[in-house]
Amino acid sequence: MLSRIAESLFWIGRYVERADDTARLLDVHVQILLEDPWAEEDLACRSLLSVMDRPAPPADLDVGREHVLDVLGYDRFSPSSIAGALVAARENARRAREIVSTELWECLNATWNQLPSQMRPARPHDYFTWVRERAAIVTGIVESTTSRDETWHFMVLGRSIERADMTARLLTTRALAGSAGPSWVTLLRSCGAHEAFLRTYRGNASDERAAGFLLLDRLFPRSIVYALNEAEASLAALEPVADRASIGDARRHIGHVRTNLEYRPLMEIVDALPREMELVQRACSAASDSIRGRYFPSGSELTWVGEAL
């Protein structure tokens, strides 16, 4: 496979997952600000922008949810926003058109065409729901129509790394906001994990178990450990036969942070959650850089402009 094609497939996976996860995170954030009249909106919005690695306005200017929605939701020119990520996913699909299936191309193209115009949606929740539904359709098409070859592995690799990174950011918002932030139940619902969590623990819920479910569960697809395991499996499948006696840099970064989570007491991780989630984000970024250097060293600026996130 040509490196430019592999690169585009990797970024299709990342950008669609980024749009999905950002929609989930913003949905939780906006809902809390609407429901809690005592919430410090400026502080909460600045914290969210910080977690998402986006610059905040000067301290003498108030930052509200409208600004956050513009920056992280509707900006078509920033791959860190929902709209920008969907635009970038469609552009990468266009560049890999000879490999991407017709169904997947039509789905991404239709999503691009249906993005809101310059007018902001009247109901942000409806916009976030639509984004999540479109991302689910993309994932369903990939899973049901793509052979488990290099094409599939590069898309899954991008999706898995992005999912681990974004779930870490979601958990960081909970840790930084403290009692004013989303509850663990709210975070479970935002990840579509609440019902799976209740079935796993048969209704015997607790904050500690909720944290462990999103961090460490080996069967739930949106847990950090599951996503890291999936990324490792795709990297192992992509390695040439001659190289399978050694571990590549990308697998080393991912494996190190995964084992650091799996083989330590849960409360030790929860007590230092922001620092631990920062380590996950750094590992995902380092793994992404290693993948770039090995598989697409001549990558274009277009597909990698979103790496700032």
Side-chain angles (χ1 to χ4, degrees), residues 279-305:
L279 293 177
V280 173
Q281 294 169 47
R282 288 181 178 178
C284 291
S285 178
S288 186
D289 289 342
S290 297
I291 292 165
R292 179 188 187 185
R294 175 162 190 179
Y295 292 106
F296 14 90
S298 59
S300 68
E301 184 177 348
L302 167 69
T303 49
W304 284 93
V305 69

mmCIF file with all atom_site columns, all heavy atoms in Angstrom, residues 279-305:
data_model
loop_
_atom_site.group_PDB
_atom_site.id
_atom_site.type_symbol
_atom_site.label_atom_id
_atom_site.label_alt_id
_atom_site.label_comp_id
_atom_site.label_asym_id
_atom_site.label_entity_id
_atom_site.label_seq_id
_atom_site.pdbx_PDB_ins_code
_atom_site.Cartn_x
_atom_site.Cartn_y
_atom_site.Cartn_z
_atom_site.occupancy
_atom_site.B_iso_or_equiv
_atom_site.pdbx_formal_charge
_atom_site.auth_seq_id
_atom_site.auth_comp_id
_atom_site.auth_asym_id
_atom_site.auth_atom_id
_atom_site.pdbx_PDB_model_num
ATOM 1   N N   . LEU A 1 279 ? -0.348 11.199 30.945 1.00 0.00 ? 279 LEU A N   1
ATOM 2   C CA  . LEU A 1 279 ? 0.584  10.178 30.458 1.00 0.00 ? 279 LEU A CA  1
ATOM 3   C C   . LEU A 1 279 ? -0.022 9.395  29.300 1.00 0.00 ? 279 LEU A C   1
ATOM 4   O O   . LEU A 1 279 ? 0.672  9.054  28.336 1.00 0.00 ? 279 LEU A O   1
ATOM 5   C CB  . LEU A 1 279 ? 0.961  9.222  31.601 1.00 0.00 ? 279 LEU A CB  1
ATOM 6   C CG  . LEU A 1 279 ? 1.795  9.812  32.742 1.00 0.00 ? 279 LEU A CG  1
ATOM 7   C CD1 . LEU A 1 279 ? 2.022  8.765  33.831 1.00 0.00 ? 279 LEU A CD1 1
ATOM 8   C CD2 . LEU A 1 279 ? 3.140  10.327 32.218 1.00 0.00 ? 279 LEU A CD2 1
ATOM 9   N N   . VAL A 1 280 ? -1.315 9.110  29.381 1.00 0.00 ? 280 VAL A N   1
ATOM 10  C CA  . VAL A 1 280 ? -1.990 8.425  28.270 1.00 0.00 ? 280 VAL A CA  1
ATOM 11  C C   . VAL A 1 280 ? -1.951 9.282  27.016 1.00 0.00 ? 280 VAL A C   1
ATOM 12  O O   . VAL A 1 280 ? -1.634 8.799  25.919 1.00 0.00 ? 280 VAL A O   1
ATOM 13  C CB  . VAL A 1 280 ? -3.449 8.085  28.653 1.00 0.00 ? 280 VAL A CB  1
ATOM 14  C CG1 . VAL A 1 280 ? -4.211 7.536  27.441 1.00 0.00 ? 280 VAL A CG1 1
ATOM 15  C CG2 . VAL A 1 280 ? -3.495 7.068  29.791 1.00 0.00 ? 280 VAL A CG2 1
ATOM 16  N N   . GLN A 1 281 ? -2.259 10.561 27.157 1.00 0.00 ? 281 GLN A N   1
ATOM 17  C CA  . GLN A 1 281 ? -2.243 11.457 25.998 1.00 0.00 ? 281 GLN A CA  1
ATOM 18  C C   . GLN A 1 281 ? -0.851 11.568 25.394 1.00 0.00 ? 281 GLN A C   1
ATOM 19  O O   . GLN A 1 281 ? -0.694 11.565 24.164 1.00 0.00 ? 281 GLN A O   1
ATOM 20  C CB  . GLN A 1 281 ? -2.748 12.837 26.416 1.00 0.00 ? 281 GLN A CB  1
ATOM 21  C CG  . GLN A 1 281 ? -4.207 12.872 26.833 1.00 0.00 ? 281 GLN A CG  1
ATOM 22  C CD  . GLN A 1 281 ? -4.592 14.185 27.485 1.00 0.00 ? 281 GLN A CD  1
ATOM 23  O OE1 . GLN A 1 281 ? -4.265 15.262 26.981 1.00 0.00 ? 281 GLN A OE1 1
ATOM 24  N NE2 . GLN A 1 281 ? -5.279 14.115 28.610 1.00 0.00 ? 281 GLN A NE2 1
ATOM 25  N N   . ARG A 1 282 ? 0.180  11.655 26.240 1.00 0.00 ? 282 ARG A N   1
ATOM 26  C CA  . ARG A 1 282 ? 1.547  11.733 25.727 1.00 0.00 ? 282 ARG A CA  1
ATOM 27  C C   . ARG A 1 282 ? 1.933  10.457 24.997 1.00 0.00 ? 282 ARG A C   1
ATOM 28  O O   . ARG A 1 282 ? 2.601  10.500 23.956 1.00 0.00 ? 282 ARG A O   1
ATOM 29  C CB  . ARG A 1 282 ? 2.513  12.000 26.881 1.00 0.00 ? 282 ARG A CB  1
ATOM 30  C CG  . ARG A 1 282 ? 2.445  13.409 27.450 1.00 0.00 ? 282 ARG A CG  1
ATOM 31  C CD  . ARG A 1 282 ? 3.451  13.592 28.576 1.00 0.00 ? 282 ARG A CD  1
ATOM 32  N NE  . ARG A 1 282 ? 3.450  14.949 29.114 1.00 0.00 ? 282 ARG A NE  1
ATOM 33  C CZ  . ARG A 1 282 ? 4.197  15.342 30.118 1.00 0.00 ? 282 ARG A CZ  1
ATOM 34  N NH1 . ARG A 1 282 ? 5.037  14.481 30.704 1.00 0.00 ? 282 ARG A NH1 1
ATOM 35  N NH2 . ARG A 1 282 ? 4.141  16.577 30.555 1.00 0.00 ? 282 ARG A NH2 1
ATOM 36  N N   . ALA A 1 283 ? 1.515  9.313  25.532 1.00 0.00 ? 283 ALA A N   1
ATOM 37  C CA  . ALA A 1 283 ? 1.836  8.035  24.886 1.00 0.00 ? 283 ALA A CA  1
ATOM 38  C C   . ALA A 1 283 ? 1.154  7.943  23.524 1.00 0.00 ? 283 ALA A C   1
ATOM 39  O O   . ALA A 1 283 ? 1.758  7.471  22.551 1.00 0.00 ? 283 ALA A O   1
ATOM 40  C CB  . ALA A 1 283 ? 1.419  6.873  25.779 1.00 0.00 ? 283 ALA A CB  1
ATOM 41  N N   . CYS A 1 284 ? -0.094 8.387  23.442 1.00 0.00 ? 284 CYS A N   1
ATOM 42  C CA  . CYS A 1 284 ? -0.809 8.359  22.164 1.00 0.00 ? 284 CYS A CA  1
ATOM 43  C C   . CYS A 1 284 ? -0.134 9.277  21.150 1.00 0.00 ? 284 CYS A C   1
ATOM 44  O O   . CYS A 1 284 ? -0.003 8.928  19.965 1.00 0.00 ? 284 CYS A O   1
ATOM 45  C CB  . CYS A 1 284 ? -2.269 8.758  22.365 1.00 0.00 ? 284 CYS A CB  1
ATOM 46  S SG  . CYS A 1 284 ? -3.263 7.552  23.266 1.00 0.00 ? 284 CYS A SG  1
ATOM 47  N N   . SER A 1 285 ? 0.297  10.453 21.596 1.00 0.00 ? 285 SER A N   1
ATOM 48  C CA  . SER A 1 285 ? 0.983  11.387 20.700 1.00 0.00 ? 285 SER A CA  1
ATOM 49  C C   . SER A 1 285 ? 2.314  10.811 20.236 1.00 0.00 ? 285 SER A C   1
ATOM 50  O O   . SER A 1 285 ? 2.672  10.895 19.042 1.00 0.00 ? 285 SER A O   1
ATOM 51  C CB  . SER A 1 285 ? 1.193  12.720 21.411 1.00 0.00 ? 285 SER A CB  1
ATOM 52  O OG  . SER A 1 285 ? 1.893  13.627 20.592 1.00 0.00 ? 285 SER A OG  1
ATOM 53  N N   . ALA A 1 286 ? 3.073  10.205 21.167 1.00 0.00 ? 286 ALA A N   1
ATOM 54  C CA  . ALA A 1 286 ? 4.366  9.618  20.798 1.00 0.00 ? 286 ALA A CA  1
ATOM 55  C C   . ALA A 1 286 ? 4.182  8.446  19.852 1.00 0.00 ? 286 ALA A C   1
ATOM 56  O O   . ALA A 1 286 ? 4.951  8.271  18.895 1.00 0.00 ? 286 ALA A O   1
ATOM 57  C CB  . ALA A 1 286 ? 5.112  9.170  22.063 1.00 0.00 ? 286 ALA A CB  1
ATOM 58  N N   . ALA A 1 287 ? 3.162  7.625  20.097 1.00 0.00 ? 287 ALA A N   1
ATOM 59  C CA  . ALA A 1 287 ? 2.887  6.495  19.204 1.00 0.00 ? 287 ALA A CA  1
ATOM 60  C C   . ALA A 1 287 ? 2.505  6.992  17.818 1.00 0.00 ? 287 ALA A C   1
ATOM 61  O O   . ALA A 1 287 ? 2.941  6.432  16.796 1.00 0.00 ? 287 ALA A O   1
ATOM 62  C CB  . ALA A 1 287 ? 1.772  5.625  19.785 1.00 0.00 ? 287 ALA A CB  1
ATOM 63  N N   . SER A 1 288 ? 1.702  8.053  17.766 1.00 0.00 ? 288 SER A N   1
ATOM 64  C CA  . SER A 1 288 ? 1.305  8.616  16.476 1.00 0.00 ? 288 SER A CA  1
ATOM 65  C C   . SER A 1 288 ? 2.518  9.129  15.709 1.00 0.00 ? 288 SER A C   1
ATOM 66  O O   . SER A 1 288 ? 2.646  8.919  14.488 1.00 0.00 ? 288 SER A O   1
ATOM 67  C CB  . SER A 1 288 ? 0.297  9.743  16.699 1.00 0.00 ? 288 SER A CB  1
ATOM 68  O OG  . SER A 1 288 ? -0.215 10.226 15.477 1.00 0.00 ? 288 SER A OG  1
ATOM 69  N N   . ASP A 1 289 ? 3.436  9.786  16.396 1.00 0.00 ? 289 ASP A N   1
ATOM 70  C CA  . ASP A 1 289 ? 4.661  10.251 15.748 1.00 0.00 ? 289 ASP A CA  1
ATOM 71  C C   . ASP A 1 289 ? 5.490  9.080  15.217 1.00 0.00 ? 289 ASP A C   1
ATOM 72  O O   . ASP A 1 289 ? 6.065  9.156  14.122 1.00 0.00 ? 289 ASP A O   1
ATOM 73  C CB  . ASP A 1 289 ? 5.504  11.069 16.734 1.00 0.00 ? 289 ASP A CB  1
ATOM 74  C CG  . ASP A 1 289 ? 4.893  12.427 17.043 1.00 0.00 ? 289 ASP A CG  1
ATOM 75  O OD1 . ASP A 1 289 ? 4.039  12.870 16.259 1.00 0.00 ? 289 ASP A OD1 1
ATOM 76  O OD2 . ASP A 1 289 ? 5.252  13.016 18.078 1.00 0.00 ? 289 ASP A OD2 1
ATOM 77  N N   . SER A 1 290 ? 5.569  8.003  16.000 1.00 0.00 ? 290 SER A N   1
ATOM 78  C CA  . SER A 1 290 ? 6.336  6.835  15.569 1.00 0.00 ? 290 SER A CA  1
ATOM 79  C C   . SER A 1 290 ? 5.699  6.176  14.349 1.00 0.00 ? 290 SER A C   1
ATOM 80  O O   . SER A 1 290 ? 6.403  5.725  13.433 1.00 0.00 ? 290 SER A O   1
ATOM 81  C CB  . SER A 1 290 ? 6.428  5.821  16.720 1.00 0.00 ? 290 SER A CB  1
ATOM 82  O OG  . SER A 1 290 ? 7.129  6.366  17.821 1.00 0.00 ? 290 SER A OG  1
ATOM 83  N N   . ILE A 1 291 ? 4.377  6.117  14.338 1.00 0.00 ? 291 ILE A N   1
ATOM 84  C CA  . ILE A 1 291 ? 3.658  5.553  13.182 1.00 0.00 ? 291 ILE A CA  1
ATOM 85  C C   . ILE A 1 291 ? 3.924  6.401  11.948 1.00 0.00 ? 291 ILE A C   1
ATOM 86  O O   . ILE A 1 291 ? 4.179  5.880  10.860 1.00 0.00 ? 291 ILE A O   1
ATOM 87  C CB  . ILE A 1 291 ? 2.150  5.474  13.491 1.00 0.00 ? 291 ILE A CB  1
ATOM 88  C CG1 . ILE A 1 291 ? 1.889  4.428  14.573 1.00 0.00 ? 291 ILE A CG1 1
ATOM 89  C CG2 . ILE A 1 291 ? 1.354  5.147  12.234 1.00 0.00 ? 291 ILE A CG2 1
ATOM 90  C CD1 . ILE A 1 291 ? 0.511  4.525  15.192 1.00 0.00 ? 291 ILE A CD1 1
ATOM 91  N N   . ARG A 1 292 ? 3.890  7.698  12.131 1.00 0.00 ? 292 ARG A N   1
ATOM 92  C CA  . ARG A 1 292 ? 4.168  8.593  11.009 1.00 0.00 ? 292 ARG A CA  1
ATOM 93  C C   . ARG A 1 292 ? 5.564  8.353  10.454 1.00 0.00 ? 292 ARG A C   1
ATOM 94  O O   . ARG A 1 292 ? 5.757  8.258  9.242  1.00 0.00 ? 292 ARG A O   1
ATOM 95  C CB  . ARG A 1 292 ? 4.025  10.041 11.462 1.00 0.00 ? 292 ARG A CB  1
ATOM 96  C CG  . ARG A 1 292 ? 4.315  11.056 10.372 1.00 0.00 ? 292 ARG A CG  1
ATOM 97  C CD  . ARG A 1 292 ? 4.354  12.465 10.945 1.00 0.00 ? 292 ARG A CD  1
ATOM 98  N NE  . ARG A 1 292 ? 4.471  13.459 9.891  1.00 0.00 ? 292 ARG A NE  1
ATOM 99  C CZ  . ARG A 1 292 ? 4.616  14.755 10.101 1.00 0.00 ? 292 ARG A CZ  1
ATOM 100 N NH1 . ARG A 1 292 ? 4.674  15.211 11.339 1.00 0.00 ? 292 ARG A NH1 1
ATOM 101 N NH2 . ARG A 1 292 ? 4.723  15.597 9.100  1.00 0.00 ? 292 ARG A NH2 1
ATOM 102 N N   . GLY A 1 293 ? 6.545  8.269  11.349 1.00 0.00 ? 293 GLY A N   1
ATOM 103 C CA  . GLY A 1 293 ? 7.918  8.087  10.902 1.00 0.00 ? 293 GLY A CA  1
ATOM 104 C C   . GLY A 1 293 ? 8.151  6.771  10.201 1.00 0.00 ? 293 GLY A C   1
ATOM 105 O O   . GLY A 1 293 ? 8.978  6.682  9.287  1.00 0.00 ? 293 GLY A O   1
ATOM 106 N N   . ARG A 1 294 ? 7.406  5.733  10.599 1.00 0.00 ? 294 ARG A N   1
ATOM 107 C CA  . ARG A 1 294 ? 7.657  4.420  10.012 1.00 0.00 ? 294 ARG A CA  1
ATOM 108 C C   . ARG A 1 294 ? 6.854  4.177  8.743  1.00 0.00 ? 294 ARG A C   1
ATOM 109 O O   . ARG A 1 294 ? 7.390  3.655  7.762  1.00 0.00 ? 294 ARG A O   1
ATOM 110 C CB  . ARG A 1 294 ? 7.315  3.336  11.031 1.00 0.00 ? 294 ARG A CB  1
ATOM 111 C CG  . ARG A 1 294 ? 7.437  1.938  10.445 1.00 0.00 ? 294 ARG A CG  1
ATOM 112 C CD  . ARG A 1 294 ? 7.537  0.860  11.467 1.00 0.00 ? 294 ARG A CD  1
ATOM 113 N NE  . ARG A 1 294 ? 7.880  -0.405 10.831 1.00 0.00 ? 294 ARG A NE  1
ATOM 114 C CZ  . ARG A 1 294 ? 8.051  -1.535 11.484 1.00 0.00 ? 294 ARG A CZ  1
ATOM 115 N NH1 . ARG A 1 294 ? 7.927  -1.560 12.799 1.00 0.00 ? 294 ARG A NH1 1
ATOM 116 N NH2 . ARG A 1 294 ? 8.357  -2.640 10.852 1.00 0.00 ? 294 ARG A NH2 1
ATOM 117 N N   . TYR A 1 295 ? 5.574  4.534  8.750  1.00 0.00 ? 295 TYR A N   1
ATOM 118 C CA  . TYR A 1 295 ? 4.695  4.128  7.652  1.00 0.00 ? 295 TYR A CA  1
ATOM 119 C C   . TYR A 1 295 ? 4.439  5.220  6.628  1.00 0.00 ? 295 TYR A C   1
ATOM 120 O O   . TYR A 1 295 ? 4.172  4.919  5.467  1.00 0.00 ? 295 TYR A O   1
ATOM 121 C CB  . TYR A 1 295 ? 3.350  3.635  8.208  1.00 0.00 ? 295 TYR A CB  1
ATOM 122 C CG  . TYR A 1 295 ? 3.472  2.349  8.983  1.00 0.00 ? 295 TYR A CG  1
ATOM 123 C CD1 . TYR A 1 295 ? 3.383  2.338  10.365 1.00 0.00 ? 295 TYR A CD1 1
ATOM 124 C CD2 . TYR A 1 295 ? 3.692  1.137  8.324  1.00 0.00 ? 295 TYR A CD2 1
ATOM 125 C CE1 . TYR A 1 295 ? 3.504  1.159  11.084 1.00 0.00 ? 295 TYR A CE1 1
ATOM 126 C CE2 . TYR A 1 295 ? 3.808  -0.046 9.031  1.00 0.00 ? 295 TYR A CE2 1
ATOM 127 C CZ  . TYR A 1 295 ? 3.720  -0.029 10.410 1.00 0.00 ? 295 TYR A CZ  1
ATOM 128 O OH  . TYR A 1 295 ? 3.845  -1.205 11.111 1.00 0.00 ? 295 TYR A OH  1
ATOM 129 N N   . PHE A 1 296 ? 4.467  6.470  7.018  1.00 0.00 ? 296 PHE A N   1
ATOM 130 C CA  . PHE A 1 296 ? 4.268  7.538  6.032  1.00 0.00 ? 296 PHE A CA  1
ATOM 131 C C   . PHE A 1 296 ? 5.173  8.715  6.347  1.00 0.00 ? 296 PHE A C   1
ATOM 132 O O   . PHE A 1 296 ? 4.715  9.797  6.752  1.00 0.00 ? 296 PHE A O   1
ATOM 133 C CB  . PHE A 1 296 ? 2.807  8.008  5.950  1.00 0.00 ? 296 PHE A CB  1
ATOM 134 C CG  . PHE A 1 296 ? 1.917  7.557  7.068  1.00 0.00 ? 296 PHE A CG  1
ATOM 135 C CD1 . PHE A 1 296 ? 1.767  8.321  8.212  1.00 0.00 ? 296 PHE A CD1 1
ATOM 136 C CD2 . PHE A 1 296 ? 1.203  6.368  6.976  1.00 0.00 ? 296 PHE A CD2 1
ATOM 137 C CE1 . PHE A 1 296 ? 0.925  7.924  9.227  1.00 0.00 ? 296 PHE A CE1 1
ATOM 138 C CE2 . PHE A 1 296 ? 0.360  5.961  7.991  1.00 0.00 ? 296 PHE A CE2 1
ATOM 139 C CZ  . PHE A 1 296 ? 0.220  6.723  9.120  1.00 0.00 ? 296 PHE A CZ  1
ATOM 140 N N   . PRO A 1 297 ? 6.482  8.549  6.178  1.00 0.00 ? 297 PRO A N   1
ATOM 141 C CA  . PRO A 1 297 ? 7.442  9.609  6.516  1.00 0.00 ? 297 PRO A CA  1
ATOM 142 C C   . PRO A 1 297 ? 7.317  10.857 5.659  1.00 0.00 ? 297 PRO A C   1
ATOM 143 O O   . PRO A 1 297 ? 7.758  11.927 6.063  1.00 0.00 ? 297 PRO A O   1
ATOM 144 C CB  . PRO A 1 297 ? 8.795  8.937  6.314  1.00 0.00 ? 297 PRO A CB  1
ATOM 145 C CG  . PRO A 1 297 ? 8.531  7.819  5.346  1.00 0.00 ? 297 PRO A CG  1
ATOM 146 C CD  . PRO A 1 297 ? 7.150  7.334  5.671  1.00 0.00 ? 297 PRO A CD  1
ATOM 147 N N   . SER A 1 298 ? 6.733  10.726 4.482  1.00 0.00 ? 298 SER A N   1
ATOM 148 C CA  . SER A 1 298 ? 6.592  11.900 3.612  1.00 0.00 ? 298 SER A CA  1
ATOM 149 C C   . SER A 1 298 ? 5.185  12.443 3.667  1.00 0.00 ? 298 SER A C   1
ATOM 150 O O   . SER A 1 298 ? 4.673  12.990 2.706  1.00 0.00 ? 298 SER A O   1
ATOM 151 C CB  . SER A 1 298 ? 6.939  11.534 2.162  1.00 0.00 ? 298 SER A CB  1
ATOM 152 O OG  . SER A 1 298 ? 6.077  10.499 1.691  1.00 0.00 ? 298 SER A OG  1
ATOM 153 N N   . GLY A 1 299 ? 4.520  12.277 4.826  1.00 0.00 ? 299 GLY A N   1
ATOM 154 C CA  . GLY A 1 299 ? 3.115  12.663 4.967  1.00 0.00 ? 299 GLY A CA  1
ATOM 155 C C   . GLY A 1 299 ? 2.860  14.120 4.645  1.00 0.00 ? 299 GLY A C   1
ATOM 156 O O   . GLY A 1 299 ? 3.683  14.985 4.880  1.00 0.00 ? 299 GLY A O   1
ATOM 157 N N   . SER A 1 300 ? 1.679  14.384 4.136  1.00 0.00 ? 300 SER A N   1
ATOM 158 C CA  . SER A 1 300 ? 1.333  15.746 3.752  1.00 0.00 ? 300 SER A CA  1
ATOM 159 C C   . SER A 1 300 ? 0.932  16.558 4.973  1.00 0.00 ? 300 SER A C   1
ATOM 160 O O   . SER A 1 300 ? 0.504  16.035 5.984  1.00 0.00 ? 300 SER A O   1
ATOM 161 C CB  . SER A 1 300 ? 0.163  15.731 2.757  1.00 0.00 ? 300 SER A CB  1
ATOM 162 O OG  . SER A 1 300 ? -1.019 15.300 3.400  1.00 0.00 ? 300 SER A OG  1
ATOM 163 N N   . GLU A 1 301 ? 1.041  17.872 4.838  1.00 0.00 ? 301 GLU A N   1
ATOM 164 C CA  . GLU A 1 301 ? 0.682  18.763 5.940  1.00 0.00 ? 301 GLU A CA  1
ATOM 165 C C   . GLU A 1 301 ? -0.804 18.689 6.227  1.00 0.00 ? 301 GLU A C   1
ATOM 166 O O   . GLU A 1 301 ? -1.241 18.840 7.358  1.00 0.00 ? 301 GLU A O   1
ATOM 167 C CB  . GLU A 1 301 ? 1.076  20.193 5.570  1.00 0.00 ? 301 GLU A CB  1
ATOM 168 C CG  . GLU A 1 301 ? 0.831  21.198 6.690  1.00 0.00 ? 301 GLU A CG  1
ATOM 169 C CD  . GLU A 1 301 ? 1.293  22.581 6.314  1.00 0.00 ? 301 GLU A CD  1
ATOM 170 O OE1 . GLU A 1 301 ? 1.996  22.696 5.312  1.00 0.00 ? 301 GLU A OE1 1
ATOM 171 O OE2 . GLU A 1 301 ? 0.930  23.518 7.026  1.00 0.00 ? 301 GLU A OE2 1
ATOM 172 N N   . LEU A 1 302 ? -1.620 18.425 5.202  1.00 0.00 ? 302 LEU A N   1
ATOM 173 C CA  . LEU A 1 302 ? -3.069 18.420 5.370  1.00 0.00 ? 302 LEU A CA  1
ATOM 174 C C   . LEU A 1 302 ? -3.492 17.401 6.419  1.00 0.00 ? 302 LEU A C   1
ATOM 175 O O   . LEU A 1 302 ? -4.254 17.690 7.333  1.00 0.00 ? 302 LEU A O   1
ATOM 176 C CB  . LEU A 1 302 ? -3.745 18.109 4.039  1.00 0.00 ? 302 LEU A CB  1
ATOM 177 C CG  . LEU A 1 302 ? -5.239 17.768 4.128  1.00 0.00 ? 302 LEU A CG  1
ATOM 178 C CD1 . LEU A 1 302 ? -6.013 19.005 4.528  1.00 0.00 ? 302 LEU A CD1 1
ATOM 179 C CD2 . LEU A 1 302 ? -5.764 17.203 2.804  1.00 0.00 ? 302 LEU A CD2 1
ATOM 180 N N   . THR A 1 303 ? -3.001 16.162 6.294  1.00 0.00 ? 303 THR A N   1
ATOM 181 C CA  . THR A 1 303 ? -3.490 15.116 7.178  1.00 0.00 ? 303 THR A CA  1
ATOM 182 C C   . THR A 1 303 ? -2.922 15.233 8.559  1.00 0.00 ? 303 THR A C   1
ATOM 183 O O   . THR A 1 303 ? -3.513 14.711 9.505  1.00 0.00 ? 303 THR A O   1
ATOM 184 C CB  . THR A 1 303 ? -3.124 13.732 6.608  1.00 0.00 ? 303 THR A CB  1
ATOM 185 O OG1 . THR A 1 303 ? -1.744 13.713 6.263  1.00 0.00 ? 303 THR A OG1 1
ATOM 186 C CG2 . THR A 1 303 ? -3.941 13.402 5.397  1.00 0.00 ? 303 THR A CG2 1
ATOM 187 N N   . TRP A 1 304 ? -1.821 15.937 8.702  1.00 0.00 ? 304 TRP A N   1
ATOM 188 C CA  . TRP A 1 304 ? -1.194 15.976 10.031 1.00 0.00 ? 304 TRP A CA  1
ATOM 189 C C   . TRP A 1 304 ? -1.425 17.298 10.757 1.00 0.00 ? 304 TRP A C   1
ATOM 190 O O   . TRP A 1 304 ? -0.961 17.475 11.874 1.00 0.00 ? 304 TRP A O   1
ATOM 191 C CB  . TRP A 1 304 ? 0.321  15.723 9.888  1.00 0.00 ? 304 TRP A CB  1
ATOM 192 C CG  . TRP A 1 304 ? 0.544  14.283 9.640  1.00 0.00 ? 304 TRP A CG  1
ATOM 193 C CD1 . TRP A 1 304 ? 0.650  13.659 8.437  1.00 0.00 ? 304 TRP A CD1 1
ATOM 194 C CD2 . TRP A 1 304 ? 0.631  13.250 10.609 1.00 0.00 ? 304 TRP A CD2 1
ATOM 195 N NE1 . TRP A 1 304 ? 0.803  12.323 8.603  1.00 0.00 ? 304 TRP A NE1 1
ATOM 196 C CE2 . TRP A 1 304 ? 0.803  12.030 9.925  1.00 0.00 ? 304 TRP A CE2 1
ATOM 197 C CE3 . TRP A 1 304 ? 0.583  13.233 12.002 1.00 0.00 ? 304 TRP A CE3 1
ATOM 198 C CZ2 . TRP A 1 304 ? 0.920  10.815 10.577 1.00 0.00 ? 304 TRP A CZ2 1
ATOM 199 C CZ3 . TRP A 1 304 ? 0.723  12.024 12.661 1.00 0.00 ? 304 TRP A CZ3 1
ATOM 200 C CH2 . TRP A 1 304 ? 0.873  10.832 11.945 1.00 0.00 ? 304 TRP A CH2 1
ATOM 201 N N   . VAL A 1 305 ? -2.189 18.200 10.171 1.00 0.00 ? 305 VAL A N   1
ATOM 202 C CA  . VAL A 1 305 ? -2.400 19.487 10.823 1.00 0.00 ? 305 VAL A CA  1
ATOM 203 C C   . VAL A 1 305 ? -3.164 19.314 12.123 1.00 0.00 ? 305 VAL A C   1
ATOM 204 O O   . VAL A 1 305 ? -3.054 20.104 13.043 1.00 0.00 ? 305 VAL A O   1
ATOM 205 C CB  . VAL A 1 305 ? -3.139 20.459 9.874  1.00 0.00 ? 305 VAL A CB  1
ATOM 206 C CG1 . VAL A 1 305 ? -4.573 20.013 9.648  1.00 0.00 ? 305 VAL A CG1 1
ATOM 207 C CG2 . VAL A 1 305 ? -3.100 21.875 10.413 1.00 0.00 ? 305 VAL A CG2 1
#
